[in-house]
Amino acid sequence: KQIIKQCKKLYNVMEVKAMEAAVEALLFAMGEAIPVADIAQVLEIDVEDARSLIRNMMTRYDEDANYWKKQQI
C-alpha cells in the first residue's frame, strides 16, 4: 500500500509539472498575458486550480530570482 501511495504522489507531482510547462509554453507562444479562464480551459481544470497553479509558479520564480540575486553579491 505504501508503494501505491508513493506512486500516486509522484504522479501528482509529474502532472503539476506538466501543467506548469504547458502554462509556460502558452505564455511564451502568445507573448502577452492570457486570461486565467483561458488557461484553465486549455488545461481542462477549474479556474481556481489554474489560479493556484500560477500563484505557485510565481512564488517559485520569485524564490529563484532571490537566490540568483544573493549569488551576485
Side-chain angles (χ1 to χ4, degrees), residues 3-53:
I3 291 175
I4 292 172
K5 286 181 184 179
Q6 289 174 342
C7 288
K8 286 181 181 180
K9 184 177 180 180
L10 180 60
Y11 176 78
N12 289 338
V13 169
M14 291 169 44
E15 189 174 83
V16 168
K17 294 293 183 189
M19 285 191 282
E20 288 177 349
V23 170
E24 290 175 339
L26 280 170
L27 294 171
F28 181 78
M30 295 300 292
E32 60 186 42
I34 303 171
V36 176
D38 292 350
I39 292 171
Q41 185 176 5
V42 168
L43 297 177
E44 297 178 349
I45 60 176
D46 66 31
V47 173
E48 282 308 310
D49 287 340
R51 280 194 182 104
S52 178
L53 179 73

Side-chain angles (χ1 to χ4, degrees), residues 56-69:
N56 289 338
M57 292 171 67
M58 291 170 62
T59 299
R60 192 179 75 244
Y61 293 150
D62 287 343
E63 290 169 355
D64 290 348
N66 288 334
Y67 170 81
W68 288 109
K69 286 178 187 176

